[in-house]
Amino acid sequence: MPDPRFFDSLGPALLSELAQAGAATLADAALGGRVITHAAPLDASDAQAITFFSDAKRKDAAASTRAGACFVRPEHQGFLPATCVALVTGRPQAAWAAAASRLHAPRRHEAGAPSLHPDAALEDGVALAPNVTIGQGASIGRGTRIGPGVVIGPGVVIGRDCRIGANAVIGFAMLGDNVAISAGAVIGEAGFGAALGPRGMVDLPQLGRVVIQDNVTLGANSCVDRGAFGDTTIGENTKIDNLVHVAHNVRIGRNCVLAAYTGVSGSTVVGDGVAFGGKAGVADHLNIGSGASIGAAASVFKDVPDGETWTGFPARPLKRWLRETAWLSRMAGGRGTRG
């Protein structure tokens, strides 16, 4: 269930209504009266949830899902358990997006409310610069300093002794103590997710949060996207430079360092003590082992083991990259040719 501090529930809805919203066909029309209250991922559902299944590689997760209903392609119906009603469509993700939007809506600032909402809770010693906006239900701890033009969304939790720079925007997020957010940073905007629908590309709802632990620093104009359903997390004492992008569902460990222009794609897991050089890029759904180092401008497309240093395009272990670079240099200089 999406966190009610950040998302309003628009349900419940009948399964027949959700099938219509997603342009899907109920495999058993007699079950159209089943009540659905929320959207959920395939492997984190219950009997009142609706989910989707579109990748045959996840057939084991489909077989064990506890969801009450699932959008699914015709050829994949047989993967679902008998307890899960199939909603048949050629575009399961887009259909789920329509159903999820019917069931949940992101909480926004209340129209006409004062810039400091009366339902916000500020401990003693919070310092607010001019033109700060704080939404309903937000909570800010003692000693935190908020710079000019900052926007803090509904339900956001900010710990004690934090420093929020000018024009930063924070939503759908929980920050620990002594967190430093530099000017222009954006935390909690929707992660990038899209699917092809009947009328073209549609955005997939992003129903998760951002969790930033104690003593984290986030540089100017950096972006941390909220999770697609779970959390995007940044561990204690991690230091992030300017102009870094952390995508949805990424988990970054403790004591990591990310230099400017680094980008970490969705659902990647970064262990503790990892260092990224400037402009490093990491593909989605990877594991970067604890203590690893990623060289500047490296492009990582494979899991990186603990403690290893990788660099290059595509990234590979440093010693291998050095050998290959030296060989290429010799060949280009003509010293490796045979006469």
Side-chain angles (χ1 to χ4, degrees), residues 104-157:
H104 307 287
R107 296 187 71 196
R108 302 299 184 188
H109 291 272
E110 293 180 355
S115 57
L116 175 55
H117 198 284
D119 289 343
L122 278 62
E123 292 186 344
D124 293 339
V126 173
L128 302 180
N131 301 318
V132 171
T133 299
I134 301 177
Q136 64 273 24
S139 173
I140 303 175
R142 183 182 64 241
T144 288
R145 303 190 300 276
I146 311 293
V150 169
V151 178
I152 296 172
V156 167
V157 177

Side-chain angles (χ1 to χ4, degrees), residues 247-261:
H248 62 189
N249 295 97
V250 167
R251 291 183 293 168
I252 296 176
R254 300 176 176 88
N255 297 300
C256 295
V257 178
L258 288 76
Y261 296 103

Side-chain angles (χ1 to χ4, degrees), residues 188-277:
E189 281 294 344
F192 182 68
L196 182 62
R199 298 179 180 84
M201 299 301 294
V202 297
D203 292 319
L204 297 175
Q206 305 292 292
L207 302 175
R209 312 175 300 181
V210 174
V211 177
I212 297 179
Q213 297 179 357
D214 297 348
N215 304 310
V216 167
T217 299
L218 183 67
N221 295 314
S222 292
C223 296
V224 181
D225 297 339
R226 69 180 184 262
F229 200 88
D231 294 334
T232 301
T233 60
I234 299 177
E236 295 175 353
N237 301 308
T238 284
K239 307 301 177 183
I240 297 177
D241 198 359
N242 302 335
L243 296 163
V244 168
H245 179 214
V246 178
H248 62 189
N249 295 97
V250 167
R251 291 183 293 168
I252 296 176
R254 300 176 176 88
N255 297 300
C256 295
V257 178
L258 288 76
Y261 296 103
T262 291
V264 184
S265 298
S267 300
T268 286
V269 177
V270 177
D272 296 336
V274 175
F276 293 87

Side-chain angles (χ1 to χ4, degrees), residues 9 17 42 44 65 72 85 96 118 131 135 152 171 246 250 282 288 307 317:
S9 175
E17 178 187 353
L42 191 66
T65 186
V72 63
V85 181
W96 181 85
N131 301 318
I152 296 172
V246 178
V250 167
V282 182
I288 310 299

